[in-house]
């Protein structure tokens, strides 16, 4: 029997079963137009790779800053011609000031040994010098609460005035600078990555638009047999989202490959300078964030193109 | 079921496809639309499917004024109409089964039902053994029958066919008309555009004849009295 008209009947715009059709169609279209899809996926992957690299560096820097923050340190470097009496006088002065009393004396030899262990690749350079260039020093551990309070500033001024003292270095000052650097890296990463992600979204939009042009006749047939715009556009939206997700996954895999390669070169060299930049890979939430970023870029791109009626 | 009230369709100032056409087709009727090429047959069918809007007049299908129908309502309206296109309009990259399955997806039929329904629709046109063929692997007649199976798969309220026997030999044409007859018996209102005079003559059905966009007043012999149809339809004696 022919279906009878039921006044006011409202059928669902996207019927059940349509989702599996969307995914099936999207996968098929991805496969059919694999060359153009590859361009879109590569664009997404490249932009997320750059964003991911910024995140990786800033993440490791931040982790290093957190670690150093726990043991804030004041280092007092002596001049090359410092006398033992002058060192004793500084030692006594530090002993009398509670905030700086937890101290350790580092001899010239100890400083040299430490440099050689930290900067293995530069140890040859030091060996060529006639004399040990490192001065003796005191390293004082300061509680983070005191370091942050700013109460040390007058004492550091007094220390700098003591005879035999060449330089007084306070970790907290450069940790603060490092923090600002981490912030800048993050901002730069988001700006560069964001611009590239938008460019990638527009690439996806053009790829989807091209696919829609190829399927124009088919879309017309779908309209004539009663397909709603959502049913027609669904596979294209899913196609964009899939391109974005694949791009995100490719970016994470490439980033991990680069990270592993960099680590394999750096770790054997035991270079402190670079070692802390590649201490650990991105945590899971940030990996998921990168893939989700790809997904959003893919969705945005396909949404841009399907808004226009083909 | 289908009402045309003083419908005129102009494409531009110099080209009028239909001129002041008025007729009415009742629920369950089987009507032929005929006329020479360029008479306006396809335009008339497109107006019923709301592929285009009339320049003047009103088109009412199944109680709905198509002039007043919002764009978002059109897909739901079209799902109640089965259309067989002159050029078949099958999706070439999909198999015969997928062409039918797509309609069922649009109609919200559960995927597990698709195979059964598609098989049954294809069996009605004797093409159940071609489920996995692609349209381009089929002859013109077979493609036409797939298009008919697709149009009938949902037992539509109205079935419209534009030259469905255009490229077929007489035996096959009769078979196809027989399929339409069966759909008509199941309750579908049928409107079939053709210029196949033999087909019309042998059917004994009501005929709307178009000439240069107007309903022609040429009416000679008829298997049923004209008055019974309200006077607007025309029965043509082709002898």
């Amino acid at each position: 029997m022919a279906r009878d008209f039921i006044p006011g009947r409202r059928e669902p715009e996207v019927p059940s079963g349509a989702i599996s059709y969307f995914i099936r169609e999207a996968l098929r279209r991805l496969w059919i137009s694999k060359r153009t899809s590859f361009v879109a996926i590569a664009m997404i992957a490249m932009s997320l790779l750059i964003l991911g690299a910024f995140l990786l560096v800033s993440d490791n820097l931040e982790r290093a800053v957190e670690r150093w923050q726990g043991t804030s340190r004041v280092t007092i470097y002596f001049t090359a011609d410092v006398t033992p009496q002058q060192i004793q006088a500084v030692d006594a002065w530090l002993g009398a000031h509670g905030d700086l009393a937890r101290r350790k004396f580092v001899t010239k030899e100890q400083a040299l040994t430490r440099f050689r262990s930290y900067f293995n690749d530069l140890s040859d350079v030091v060996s060529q010098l006639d004399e040990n260039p490192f001065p003796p020093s005191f390293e004082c551990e300061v509680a983070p609460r005191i370091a942050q309070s700013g109460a040390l500033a007058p004492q550091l001024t007094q220390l700098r005035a003591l005879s035999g003292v060449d330089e007084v270095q306070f970790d907290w000052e450069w940790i603060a600078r490092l923090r600002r650097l981490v912030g800048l890296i993050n901002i730069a990463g988001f700006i560069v990555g964001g611009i590239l992600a938008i460019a990638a979204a527009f690439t996806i939009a053009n790829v989807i638009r091209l696919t829609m042009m190829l399927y124009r006749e088919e879309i017309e047939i779908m309209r004539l047999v009663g397909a709603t715009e959502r049913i027609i556009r669904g596979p294209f939206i899913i196609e964009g989202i899939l391109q974005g997700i694949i791009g995100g996954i490719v970016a994470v895999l490439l980033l991990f490959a680069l990270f592993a390669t960099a680590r394999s070169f750096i770790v054997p060299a035991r270079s402190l300078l670079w070692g802390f930049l590649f201490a650990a890979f991105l945590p899971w939430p940030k990996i998921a964030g990168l893939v989700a970023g790809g997904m959003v870029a893919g969705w945005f791109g396909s949404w841009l193109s399907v808004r226009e009626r083909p | 079921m289908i009402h045309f009230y003083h419908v005129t369709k102009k494409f531009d100032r110099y080209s009028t496809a239909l001129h002041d056409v008025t007729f009415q087709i009742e629920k369950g009727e089987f009507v032929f639309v005929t006329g020479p090429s360029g008479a306006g047959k396809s335009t008339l069918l497109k107006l019923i499917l709301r592929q285009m809007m009339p320049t003047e007049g009103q088109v009412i299908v199944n109680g709905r004024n198509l002039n007043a129908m919002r764009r978002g309502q059109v897909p739901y309206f079209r799902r109640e109409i089965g259309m067989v296109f002159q050029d078949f309009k099958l999706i070439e990259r999909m198999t015969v089964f997928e062409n039918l399955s797509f309609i069922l997806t649009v109609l919200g039929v559960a995927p597990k039902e698709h195979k059964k329904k598609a098989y049954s629709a294809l069996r009605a046109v004797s093409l159940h053994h071609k489920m996995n063929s692609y349209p381009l692997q089929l002859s013109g007649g077979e493609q036409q029958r797939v298009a008919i199976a697709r149009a009938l798969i949902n037992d539509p309220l109205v079935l419209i066919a534009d030259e469905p026997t255009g490229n077929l030999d007489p035996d096959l044409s009769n078979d196809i008309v027989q399929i339409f007859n069966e759909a008509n018996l199941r309750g579908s209102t049928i409107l079939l555009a053709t210029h196949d005079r033999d087909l019309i003559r042998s059917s004994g059905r009501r005929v709307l004849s178009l000439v240069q966009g107007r309903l022609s007043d040429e009416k000679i012999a008829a298997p049923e009295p004209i008055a019974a149809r309200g006077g607007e339809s025309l029965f043509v004696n082709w002898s």
Side-chain angles (χ1 to χ4, degrees):
Chain A
M1 275 295 289
R3 287 178 354 136
D4 227 342
F5 171 60
I6 301 167
R9 176 176 61 194
R10 179 75 185 168
E11 295 184 41
E13 206 167 335
V14 179
S16 63
I19 302 298
S20 65
Y21 159 76
F22 288 173
I23 295 169
R24 220 171 41 242
E25 273 302 300
L27 287 171
R28 175 144 70 172
R29 286 172 196 181
L30 267 181
W31 181 249
I32 288 171
S33 49
K34 39 187 175 294
R35 282 189 190 167
T36 42
S37 298
F38 174 79
V39 174
I41 289 169
M43 275 292 289
I44 282 277
M46 198 50 71
S47 54
L48 290 176
L49 177 66
I50 291 170
L51 174 63
F54 274 100
L55 282 177
L56 183 67
V57 169
S58 77
D59 211 58
N60 277 301
L61 268 179
E62 200 155 311
R63 201 175 291 122
V65 168
E66 291 293 332
R67 203 172 57 230
W68 292 329
Q69 215 165 261
T71 55
S72 299
R73 182 184 292 174
V74 172
T75 310
I76 302 123
Y77 293 104
F78 291 101
T79 54
D81 54 352
V82 67
T83 63
Q85 290 77 18
Q86 284 171 327
I87 292 173
Q88 272 174 16
V90 170
D91 188 30
W93 190 93
L94 290 172
H97 292 79
D99 293 340
L100 298 165
R102 288 186 62 192
R103 62 197 181 281
K104 182 185 160 194
F105 184 67
V106 180
T107 63
K108 285 168 73 77
E109 290 68 33
Q110 283 170 335
L112 179 63
T113 311
R114 191 187 282 176
F115 178 82
R116 280 190 168 134
S117 78
Y118 285 172
F119 303 100
N120 195 28
D121 39 350
L122 295 174
S123 60
D124 290 347
V125 179
V126 181
S127 306
Q128 288 166 13
L129 297 172
D130 294 336
E131 58 179 86
N132 180 355
F134 296 100
S137 61
F138 270 113
E139 288 174 355
C140 308
E141 275 189 26
V142 182
R145 182 179 48 81
I146 307 277
Q148 283 177 59
S149 69
L152 278 181
Q155 296 179 39
L156 297 183
T157 311
Q158 286 174 36
L159 255 178
R160 285 188 181 105
L162 293 178
S163 64
V165 171
D166 183 32
E167 192 186 347
V168 177
Q169 214 172 57
F170 182 28
D171 281 0
W172 198 261
E173 288 165 359
W174 69 266
I175 282 176
R177 253 177 259 142
L178 209 56
R179 277 200 163 284
R180 282 197 292 277
L181 180 68
V182 169
L184 280 176
I185 290 172
N186 274 333
I187 291 168
F190 277 104
I191 290 173
V192 175
I195 289 170
L196 287 171
I198 290 169
F202 278 103
T203 308
I204 285 187
N206 284 327
V207 167
I208 301 282
R209 204 169 284 134
L210 197 68
T211 317
M212 287 182 93
M213 291 294 283
L214 289 174
Y215 285 85
R216 198 158 58 173
E217 202 179 344
E218 201 170 291
I219 289 170
E220 196 49 43
I221 296 172
M222 289 174 177
R223 282 205 184 101
L224 290 175
V225 297
T228 57
E229 291 304 308
R230 283 197 187 171
I231 291 177
I232 292 167
R233 291 166 187 189
F236 294 103
I237 293 280
I238 299 290
E239 188 182 342
I241 289 175
L242 284 177
Q243 285 175 348
I245 291 175
I246 296 170
I249 292 170
V250 169
V252 170
L253 292 176
L254 278 177
L255 189 64
F256 186 77
L258 287 173
F259 167 78
T261 311
R263 241 170 101 96
S264 67
F265 280 109
I266 288 160
V267 171
R270 293 169 64 201
S271 169
L272 184 75
L273 198 63
W274 292 101
F276 72 85
L277 286 180
F278 296 96
F281 193 60
L282 288 175
W284 282 110
K286 285 191 177 165
I287 292 173
L290 277 181
V291 178
M295 192 178 86
V296 170
W299 167 81
F300 180 64
S302 51
W303 176 78
L304 276 181
S305 58
V306 300
R307 274 188 323 155
E308 302 156 16
R309 193 180 162 94
Chain B
M1 181 59 74
I2 301 170
H3 296 200
F4 270 51
Y5 292 114
H6 303 289
V7 172
T8 295
K9 178 65 188 176
K10 290 180 180 174
F11 293 111
D12 55 53
R13 267 169 58 190
Y14 309 103
S15 161
T16 303
L18 289 177
H19 185 82
D20 194 26
V21 172
T22 297
F23 66 85
Q24 187 165 330
I25 296 171
E26 299 302 333
K27 188 175 179 183
E29 264 195 286
F30 189 139
V31 178
F32 283 94
V33 181
T34 191
S37 294
K41 300 190 293 291
S42 295
T43 302
L44 187 140
L45 300 187
K46 282 179 179 171
L47 285 167
I48 294 172
L49 199 61
R50 206 185 179 271
Q51 267 183 281
M52 51 176 68
M53 299 279 278
T55 312
E56 286 168 29
Q58 308 289 323
V59 178
I60 294 165
V61 178
N62 198 22
R64 289 190 247 186
N65 187 335
L66 302 193
N67 297 34
M69 186 178 278
R70 283 181 288 127
R71 205 160 100 169
Q73 290 288 315
V74 174
Y76 304 103
F77 160 72
R78 284 182 181 162
R79 290 176 196 180
E80 290 162 4
I81 297 188
M83 176 84 191
V84 181
F85 301 93
Q86 194 171 3
D87 55 354
F88 320 134
K89 291 208 187 296
L90 297 173
I91 299 174
E92 288 173 5
R93 66 179 180 86
M94 290 185 182
T95 62
V96 167
F97 167 70
E98 286 167 340
N99 266 281
L100 270 62
S101 172
F102 172 73
I103 303 295
L104 297 170
T105 302
V106 167
L107 295 168
V109 175
K112 61 181 179 186
E113 296 281 311
H114 288 197
K115 204 134 202 168
K116 200 171 81 184
K117 278 193 168 270
Y119 183 84
S120 156
L122 287 168
R123 195 179 171 81
V125 295
S126 305
L127 277 178
H128 50 287
H129 58 291
K130 300 271 186 173
M131 289 251 284
N132 296 318
S133 301
Y134 286 90
L136 294 181
Q137 294 172 326
L138 304 177
S139 68
E142 286 173 329
Q143 288 186 49
Q144 186 66 281
R145 282 187 282 157
V146 174
I148 292 169
R150 182 181 65 182
L152 289 172
I153 199 161
N154 193 41
D155 283 329
L157 287 170
V158 179
L159 179 66
I160 304 168
D162 193 2
E163 299 284 2
T165 58
N167 305 310
L168 308 180
D169 58 58
D171 282 348
L172 212 50
S173 298
N174 286 330
D175 287 350
I176 280 174
V177 171
Q178 189 52 38
I179 294 166
F180 289 137
N181 278 330
E182 285 163 15
N184 185 227
L185 285 174
R186 287 200 300 272
S188 293
T189 304
I190 314 279
L191 186 62
L192 200 154
T194 182
H195 57 253
D196 186 338
R197 295 177 175 197
D198 291 335
L199 198 70
I200 296 170
R201 189 167 45 201
S202 62
S203 73
R205 302 282 189 175
R206 182 185 166 202
V207 180
L208 298 174
S209 183
L210 286 167
V211 176
Q212 291 184 336
R214 293 169 193 269
L215 270 182
S216 161
D217 58 0
E218 184 188 353
K219 48 190 180 191
I220 305 165
E224 292 176 63
I226 294 169
R229 299 289 180 183
E232 86 288 4
S233 60
L234 308 165
F235 296 91
V236 184
N237 185 351
W238 302 103
S239 55

